[in-house]
Amino acid sequence: MQTSERSSPDDGSTRTTRNVLFIMCDQLRADYLSLYGGRIPTPNLERLARRGVRFDRAYVNSAVCGPSRTSYYTGRYPASHRVTWNRVPLPLDEQTLGDYLGAAGLPLRLLGKTHFVPDRAGLAGAHFQLDPERRRLFEEGGFDPIERYDGHFEPASGSPYRDYLQSRGYAGDKPWTDYVIGSRAEDGSDASGWLLRNAALPARVRAEDSETAYLTQCAIDFVTAQGDTPWALHLSYIKPHWPLKAPAPYNAIYGPDDCDKPIRHACERENPHPVFGAYQRLEESVSFARDEVWRTARPVVMGLVQQIDDELGRLFDHMERLGRIDDTLILFTSDHGDLAGDHWLGEKEYFFESAIRVPCIVVDPSNQADATRGKVSEQFVECIDMVPTILDALALDPRTHRVEGRSLLALTRNTAAAAAWRDCVFGQLDYAYREARIFLGRGPNECQGWMVRDTRYKYIHWEGYSPQLFDLQEDPQEFLDRGTDSALCAVRKAMHQRLFDWLSERKHRATETLEQVEARTHAHERMMGIQIGKW
Amino acid sequence: MQTSERSSPDDGSTRTTRNVLFIMCDQLRADYLSLYGGRIPTPNLERLARRGVRFDRAYVNSAVCGPSRTSYYTGRYPASHRVTWNRVPLPLDEQTLGDYLGAAGLPLRLLGKTHFVPDRAGLAGAHFQLDPERRRLFEEGGFDPIERYDGHFEPASGSPYRDYLQSRGYAGDKPWTDYVIGSRAEDGSDASGWLLRNAALPARVRAEDSETAYLTQCAIDFVTAQGDTPWALHLSYIKPHWPLKAPAPYNAIYGPDDCDKPIRHACERENPHPVFGAYQRLEESVSFARDEVWRTARPVVMGLVQQIDDELGRLFDHMERLGRIDDTLILFTSDHGDLAGDHWLGEKEYFFESAIRVPCIVVDPSNQADATRGKVSEQFVECIDMVPTILDALALDPRTHRVEGRSLLALTRNTAAAAAWRDCVFGQLDYAYREARIFLGRGPNECQGWMVRDTRYKYIHWEGYSPQLFDLQEDPQEFLDRGTDSALCAVRKAMHQRLFDWLSERKHRATETLEQVEARTHAHERMMGIQIGKW
């Protein structure tokens, strides 16, 4: 089993973690960034990476916002936390980073998106009651929001960003719809931000008032206001997630010829795996299969990412001025990638690299991490590692009976645990809520996909269908599905066994700590006076 | 996926289920009973079976009280409810039969044992509060106890059975220790009920005041008091579970030559599977390997079972007199079997038939079940089937998004679902709390065993070890472990795949109903105004 070992002995380090800044982008694939050899210049992320470790093989445990974020926030695989899709309520027994930090007296503040939904029906059904302050935290999955803002519908009346927009002169009842994602066509008519055909038109909002700039400014103000009081902040950007709309000048920095062409091959449309085939039929896949769509969308994504890098530069400058860059654990990542036409698919979800590989930087302020600053790690990272990393940096109880990830400080500090690191990553896709299920004629509980990826192969078990297999060495672009290739039978068997071991060895028993199990092992007589089988 | 289909249309049946009587014994293996061709005459169970269906292949999903009972009470596999050992608290998000019946206005009353432990630490950690009445139900896993009595330690001061014993003249502070499980040796000294050497000595309690008789009388009184008001009762006997102690005359009805010899063979001690070998080293296994131990213990077990049958006769007579036998769904089973020397093991837990196969009778009062009365079903039954059976009989919401079992009314009424019944049963053993783990030098999260049994084979996957395989047709006594026999490689592969499918297809996503999933499938635009991937 994986364990989260403590990497922060009290060794007289002069720099220790007092604050936590957990930055997340939404739908940001790693390979777009110059940080990862891509086309978008990201000087500020590169600057951040020089202070810490950049992880080259960081993967999400589900390429869907809800399950991925819940893994980021609980440190547990989707099959363990059971939020297998967007807006599936978190079961009442789960605990989050916010719960852990809150119990330690360090509220986990939030700026931006979580996609979290509490299990209100479960709470009512169990007749559990909460006092108003606890209810507030329950509603936010343990986060203590400065501002919760999920960014895919008009903010509610009275919400801070809406108020801000109105105070800045964006008039009317729908400032988000009309300005933040709204544009004017050349003829002066409204051009909906929901439609990809309009993506390249500038948002009617000024860049300084856009979501990315607003959230960054809120973060700057928060860090300033905290002064020397320790803090933990989840700065969770909305972008470059849809609606695809960038303010000037970011809408027009890049054009159709500046972006990568989709990674796709005609052979992928010939007799595809049934689930892959069903995904190719989804509306966004059909759209992104057309050249004009990706040639319009991708440059806008690039601009949105450029803006994020610019804004992060402002934030990092500010933290440097305040000295916060030296006592803050900084994590940078994304909840999943973006297919945008790769493999004839739109959006994410499917287990291709474009969807599951994300950027990941960890800046560990401890002196123990000095030797790894600016290094690139090839070790596999999963979403579930963020919670144990943060608990470790703050020297809090690692909750090893629940948390399934590993502290990345083992890698920033090159501790003994680094030598026995994991050699694969796992993923899950529950497509019950997707039209793909209807195309395939399956029931809501018949739609599980399970992935394991090591350095060489990616294997996907699909409930009810033959598996998929990609040889990432011979076929790094994942064009050739070897799922039924008899030459690779032994590989599939070995990968399938890894999935079995993973499924069967997750942390099912989580209501007792490992210490409690140890204390109760063979203790019936000592603890309860019970004698069994004695003559 | 398994579904619990409704088997009770409103078809004008003259007899319907108004009451539920769910009888459980503790540690009662099926093959001891004349009902199942065994040596103990059980005329009253046979009489019950003539009214309903006797299931010949009923199996528990874990042969340990806690996990098995939690499967009986939640309708979910141990890996789903996560109570993998005795006294592991039930996670806060789980729901029980008591919760389901209580929500329908039919409190699930309890007489006897549940082995239930609430997750008090989880409740406190989540800051959930409960009003006193709900707290009472939470403490009992949704049961509304007439009397909770687990029967393996001295009842607390003020508890009804203790008060009863004292009112009946059993003096002193420890009436259970001194009388119920207490004996006098021939020399007049105390002979502890905990020691097997004393098992055949009569309890100092009179038979009419023993646990089995007391609980039966409480049930009779309860049924009487209910009059025509519908009720649901879990009558949960302590026996024939240890401490092995029977009151006269039951202690002496059977002698050493009346009982079955253990099912065991010398070859099982030669180079056994590592986990099997570790279990053979447990104290109770070493005890029961000795002839004098099983020859002492087994006749007492037989007497205790005889007493249960006698007492059930009293209860059934009473129900007949009141007419309750005609409007009550009656379920009879046990939480697991008993090895008692079989395979050189004591107690239960291990996946041999003696431990996992239990008696099971279902009496369905509906006219729709008339055609199956007195029949024997060869279909596989699991613990998880009791909740859906009861919900079905009462025409309550089957909770198919959570409940993993099937309604046995499909078999009593021979509905369409009977034609597509399951063809195997599953089991789990988490031996983390057992000295076997220490013998094997394993950590608390490295001790899972997973079993699948079909009509021909029993396959066991052990974490960290090679599997076990038994051919139940060639080797019904399970002496020959074919776990590494190259001739059966294809069988093991197929059985392993069944385990994979089972593990991966359990009902992880349980905070939304299947209807909610259907309503939210491909509904982002309709329900939330979100447009994805539109040109």
Side-chain angles (χ1 to χ4, degrees):
Chain A
M1 292 301 300
Q2 300 167 7
T3 56
S4 302
E5 292 181 12
R6 184 64 54 79
S7 305
S8 47
D10 182 10
D11 60 351
S13 304
T14 55
R15 290 196 307 276
T16 54
T17 294
R18 298 178 72 245
N19 318 298
V20 175
L21 176 62
F22 178 11
I23 306 168
M24 191 177 285
C25 294
D26 197 316
Q27 200 149 327
L28 176 59
R29 54 194 274 181
D31 65 349
Y32 278 181
L33 313 177
S34 67
L35 178 70
Y36 283 86
R39 291 175 184 247
I40 312 172
T42 48
N44 290 298
L45 288 176
E46 287 172 46
R47 166 182 162 200
L48 186 72
R50 283 193 294 274
R51 290 188 171 273
V53 174
R54 171 170 76 79
F55 291 93
D56 204 50
R57 287 178 174 153
Y59 289 88
V60 292
N61 299 114
S62 182
V64 186
C65 291
S68 174
R69 286 168 181 270
T70 311
S71 286
Y72 274 118
Y73 303 153
T74 62
R76 287 160 60 78
Y77 287 113
S80 296
H81 63 61
R82 295 155 285 155
V83 177
T84 62
W85 195 256
N86 294 328
R87 305 189 63 77
V88 170
L90 182 72
L92 297 177
D93 65 307
E94 288 295 325
Q95 297 173 18
T96 68
L97 181 62
D99 297 326
Y100 297 143
L101 297 190
L106 185 69
L108 178 56
R109 310 306 302 273
L110 167 68
L111 277 169
K113 176 170 176 172
T114 64
H115 225 105
F116 176 80
V117 172
D119 188 10
R120 298 187 189 100
L123 192 82
H127 304 277
F128 293 147
Q129 296 162 5
L130 284 163
D131 67 35
E133 170 60 12
R134 294 290 173 185
R135 178 80 197 202
R136 188 175 68 84
L137 294 168
F138 171 81
E139 289 286 330
E140 297 296 354
F143 284 102
D144 180 0
I146 300 169
E147 182 172 0
R148 160 89 178 262
Y149 175 69
D150 277 3
H152 50 267
F153 38 76
E154 189 68 44
S157 181
S159 67
Y161 185 45
R162 183 185 170 94
D163 286 352
Y164 171 86
L165 289 169
Q166 291 178 327
S167 77
R168 299 279 290 173
Y170 302 102
D173 270 352
K174 298 184 290 180
W176 180 78
T177 303
D178 292 342
Y179 294 94
V180 176
I181 69 161
S183 302
R184 288 266 193 258
E186 286 184 18
D187 66 2
S189 64
D190 285 346
S192 166
W194 287 111
L195 300 181
L196 292 167
R197 69 177 69 236
N198 299 325
L201 295 170
R204 295 177 65 204
V205 78
R206 291 179 292 271
E208 71 213 54
D209 299 325
S210 67
E211 292 158 315
T212 298
Y214 171 78
L215 291 172
T216 306
Q217 188 57 48
C218 290
I220 288 171
D221 294 344
F222 168 74
V223 171
T224 305
Q226 285 294 118
D228 288 327
T229 305
W231 49 268
L233 174 66
H234 183 41
L235 173 58
S236 189
Y237 290 115
I238 312 307
K239 295 301 176 190
H241 190 274
W242 49 256
L244 277 188
K245 181 59 59 187
Y250 296 104
N251 69 304
I253 294 178
Y254 302 100
D257 297 327
D258 297 318
C259 63
D260 293 322
K261 289 177 184 166
I263 300 166
R264 63 194 188 191
H265 192 286
C267 71
E268 293 178 284
R269 306 175 99 171
E270 296 162 11
N271 194 26
H273 186 282
V275 182
F276 183 26
Y279 262 81
Q280 290 183 22
R281 292 174 58 195
L282 297 176
E283 179 169 11
E284 66 272 19
S285 298
V286 173
S287 279
F288 274 93
R290 294 164 53 196
D291 288 345
E292 67 182 333
V293 175
W294 65 261
R295 284 172 60 83
T296 303
R298 288 187 173 214
V300 178
V301 169
M302 293 175 72
L304 288 166
V305 176
Q306 190 71 80
Q307 186 187 18
I308 289 171
D309 190 78
D310 288 350
E311 290 294 321
L312 286 176
R314 281 213 299 140
L315 175 61
F316 299 152
D317 288 345
H318 186 72
M319 290 177 69
E320 285 174 8
R321 278 193 296 274
L322 295 180
R324 286 294 82 81
I325 210 86
D326 295 318
D327 61 7
T328 302
L329 175 77
I330 305 179
L331 312 168
F332 175 83
T333 189
S334 174
D335 63 347
H336 52 74
D338 186 19
L339 288 156
D342 285 4
H343 309 286
W344 310 100
L345 302 177
E347 289 300 311
K348 49 257 185 176
E349 303 174 30
Y350 219 85
F351 296 110
F352 291 113
E353 292 289 287
S354 320
I356 66 170
R357 181 167 172 247
V358 290
C360 179
I361 300 169
V362 175
V363 178
D364 173 4
S366 166
N367 301 72
Q368 297 169 269
D370 287 349
T372 63
R373 297 195 193 287
K375 304 284 193 203
V376 176
S377 172
E378 302 287 329
Q379 297 284 19
F380 280 117
V381 170
E382 299 180 273
C383 305
I384 58 173
D385 297 336
M386 296 301 158
V387 167
T389 301
I390 293 167
L391 295 180
D392 190 3
L394 296 170
L396 298 177
D397 180 343
R399 271 82 169 180
T400 45
H401 63 302
R402 305 185 70 91
V403 169
E404 296 177 322
R406 298 177 178 214
S407 169
L408 297 175
L409 304 193
L411 303 178
T412 61
R413 301 177 187 181
N414 201 21
T415 67
W421 201 251
R422 67 168 70 89
D423 61 355
C424 62
V425 292
F426 297 99
Q428 181 176 357
L429 171 58
D430 171 10
Y431 63 87
Y433 295 81
R434 283 295 247 151
E435 197 178 17
R437 171 170 79 79
I438 296 166
F439 293 154
L440 293 167
R442 301 186 68 79
N445 272 350
E446 300 173 335
C447 301
Q448 296 290 345
W450 307 93
M451 182 211 74
V452 54
R453 182 216 197 278
D454 64 15
T455 53
R456 176 78 189 260
Y457 293 105
K458 181 181 290 180
Y459 175 83
I460 307 165
H461 172 87
W462 290 111
E463 185 173 356
Y465 299 103
S466 60
Q468 291 189 276
L469 178 71
F470 297 97
D471 182 338
L472 301 167
Q473 184 172 303
E474 300 291 321
D475 173 33
Q477 294 188 300
E478 304 174 283
F479 292 153
L480 305 173
D481 183 352
R482 314 286 296 277
T484 55
D485 182 340
S486 58
L488 292 175
C489 189
V491 170
R492 286 194 299 275
K493 184 178 174 187
M495 299 297 271
H496 194 72
Q497 184 58 39
R498 297 191 115 174
L499 283 183
F500 182 97
D501 291 342
W502 169 58
L503 278 167
S504 64
E505 294 170 17
R506 287 182 306 96
K507 295 187 177 175
H508 301 101
R509 183 202 337 103
T511 52
E512 294 218 309
T513 64
L514 299 184
E515 293 72 22
Q516 286 174 313
V517 179
E518 290 284 5
R520 288 220 287 126
T521 300
H522 190 51
H524 50 272
E525 184 165 356
R526 177 167 43 80
M527 293 179 78
M528 302 189 69
I530 287 169
Q531 300 179 62
I532 303 175
K534 278 202 197 312
W535 176 249
Chain B
M1 294 301 300
Q2 300 168 6
T3 55
S4 301
E5 293 179 9
R6 184 64 53 82
S7 305
S8 47
D10 182 10
D11 62 350
S13 303
T14 56
R15 290 196 308 275
T16 55
T17 294
R18 299 178 72 245
N19 319 298
V20 175
L21 176 61
F22 178 11
I23 306 169
M24 190 178 284
C25 294
D26 196 316
Q27 199 148 327
L28 176 59
R29 54 194 274 180
D31 65 349
Y32 277 180
L33 314 176
S34 67
L35 179 70
Y36 283 85
R39 290 176 184 245
I40 312 171
T42 48
N44 291 298
L45 288 175
E46 288 172 45
R47 166 183 163 201
L48 186 72
R50 284 193 293 276
R51 290 187 171 271
V53 175
R54 171 170 76 79
F55 292 93
D56 205 49
R57 289 178 173 151
Y59 289 88
V60 292
N61 299 115
S62 181
V64 186
C65 291
S68 174
R69 286 168 183 268
T70 312
S71 285
Y72 274 118
Y73 303 153
T74 62
R76 286 159 61 78
Y77 287 113
S80 296
H81 62 61
R82 296 154 284 155
V83 176
T84 62
W85 195 254
N86 295 328
R87 305 189 63 75
V88 170
L90 182 72
L92 296 177
D93 65 307
E94 288 295 325
Q95 296 174 17
T96 69
L97 181 61
D99 297 326
Y100 297 143
L101 297 190
L106 186 69
L108 178 55
R109 309 305 303 273
L110 167 68
L111 277 168
K113 174 171 177 172
T114 64
H115 226 105
F116 176 79
V117 171
D119 188 11
R120 297 186 189 102
L123 192 80
H127 304 277
F128 294 148
Q129 296 161 7
L130 285 162
D131 67 35
E133 170 61 10
R134 293 293 173 184
R135 176 81 197 201
R136 188 176 69 83
L137 295 168
F138 171 81
E139 289 286 329
E140 298 295 353
F143 283 103
D144 180 359
I146 299 168
E147 182 170 359
R148 159 87 179 262
Y149 175 68
D150 277 4
H152 50 266
F153 38 76
E154 189 69 43
S157 181
S159 68
Y161 185 45
R162 182 185 170 94
D163 286 352
Y164 171 85
L165 289 169
Q166 290 177 328
S167 78
R168 297 281 290 173
Y170 302 101
D173 271 352
K174 299 184 291 181
W176 181 78
T177 304
D178 293 343
Y179 295 94
V180 177
I181 70 161
S183 301
R184 288 266 192 260
E186 285 184 18
D187 65 3
S189 64
D190 284 347
S192 166
W194 287 110
L195 300 180
L196 292 167
R197 69 177 69 239
N198 299 325
L201 295 170
R204 295 177 66 203
V205 78
R206 291 180 293 270
E208 72 212 55
D209 299 325
S210 66
E211 292 157 315
T212 299
Y214 170 79
L215 290 172
T216 307
Q217 188 57 49
C218 289
I220 288 171
D221 294 344
F222 168 75
V223 171
T224 305
Q226 286 294 117
D228 288 328
T229 306
W231 49 268
L233 174 66
H234 183 42
L235 173 58
S236 188
Y237 288 115
I238 312 307
K239 295 302 176 188
H241 190 274
W242 48 255
L244 277 188
K245 181 58 60 186
Y250 296 104
N251 69 304
I253 294 177
Y254 303 100
D257 297 327
D258 297 320
C259 63
D260 293 322
K261 290 178 183 165
I263 299 167
R264 64 193 187 190
H265 192 285
C267 70
E268 294 178 284
R269 306 175 99 171
E270 296 161 13
N271 194 27
H273 186 281
V275 182
F276 183 24
Y279 261 80
Q280 290 183 22
R281 292 173 59 194
L282 298 175
E283 179 169 12
E284 67 272 20
S285 298
V286 173
S287 279
F288 273 94
R290 294 164 51 196
D291 287 346
E292 68 182 333
V293 175
W294 65 261
R295 284 172 60 83
T296 302
R298 288 187 172 214
V300 179
V301 169
M302 294 176 72
L304 288 166
V305 176
Q306 190 71 79
Q307 187 187 17
I308 289 170
D309 191 79
D310 288 350
E311 290 293 321
L312 286 176
R314 281 211 300 142
L315 174 61
F316 299 152
D317 288 347
H318 186 72
M319 290 177 69
E320 284 175 7
R321 277 194 297 273
L322 296 178
R324 288 292 81 83
I325 210 84
D326 295 319
D327 60 7
T328 302
L329 175 76
I330 305 178
L331 312 168
F332 174 84
T333 190
S334 175
D335 64 347
H336 52 75
D338 186 19
L339 288 156
D342 285 5
H343 310 286
W344 312 100
L345 302 178
E347 290 299 310
K348 49 257 185 178
E349 304 174 29
Y350 218 85
F351 296 110
F352 290 113
E353 292 289 286
S354 320
I356 64 170
R357 182 169 173 245
V358 290
C360 179
I361 300 168
V362 175
V363 178
D364 172 4
S366 165
N367 301 73
Q368 297 169 268
D370 287 348
T372 62
R373 297 195 194 286
K375 305 283 193 204
V376 176
S377 172
E378 303 286 329
Q379 298 283 21
F380 280 118
V381 170
E382 300 180 272
C383 304
I384 58 172
D385 297 337
M386 295 301 157
V387 167
T389 300
I390 293 166
L391 296 179
D392 190 3
L394 296 169
L396 298 177
D397 180 343
R399 271 82 169 180
T400 44
H401 63 302
R402 305 185 68 92
V403 169
E404 297 178 320
R406 297 175 178 217
S407 168
L408 297 174
L409 303 193
L411 303 178
T412 63
R413 300 175 187 183
N414 201 21
T415 68
W421 201 251
R422 67 167 69 90
D423 61 356
C424 62
V425 292
F426 296 100
Q428 181 177 357
L429 172 57
D430 171 9
Y431 62 87
Y433 295 82
R434 282 295 246 149
E435 197 178 15
R437 171 170 78 79
I438 297 166
F439 293 154
L440 293 168
R442 300 186 69 79
N445 273 350
E446 302 173 333
C447 301
Q448 295 290 346
W450 307 92
M451 182 211 73
V452 53
R453 183 216 196 279
D454 65 14
T455 53
R456 176 78 188 259
Y457 293 105
K458 179 182 291 180
Y459 175 83
I460 306 165
H461 172 85
W462 290 112
E463 185 173 355
Y465 299 102
S466 60
Q468 292 190 274
L469 178 71
F470 296 97
D471 181 338
L472 301 167
Q473 183 172 302
E474 299 292 321
D475 172 33
Q477 294 187 300
E478 304 175 281
F479 292 152
L480 305 173
D481 183 351
R482 314 286 296 277
T484 55
D485 183 340
S486 58
L488 292 175
C489 188
V491 171
R492 286 194 300 274
K493 184 178 174 188
M495 298 299 270
H496 195 72
Q497 184 57 39
R498 298 190 114 173
L499 282 184
F500 183 97
D501 291 343
W502 170 58
L503 278 167
S504 64
E505 294 170 16
R506 288 181 305 99
K507 296 187 177 175
H508 301 101
R509 184 204 334 103
T511 52
E512 293 217 309
T513 65
L514 299 184
E515 293 72 22
Q516 286 173 313
V517 179
E518 290 284 5
R520 287 220 287 127
T521 300
H522 190 52
H524 49 272
E525 183 164 357
R526 178 168 41 81
M527 293 179 77
M528 303 189 68
I530 288 170
Q531 299 179 63
I532 303 176
K534 278 201 197 312
W535 178 247

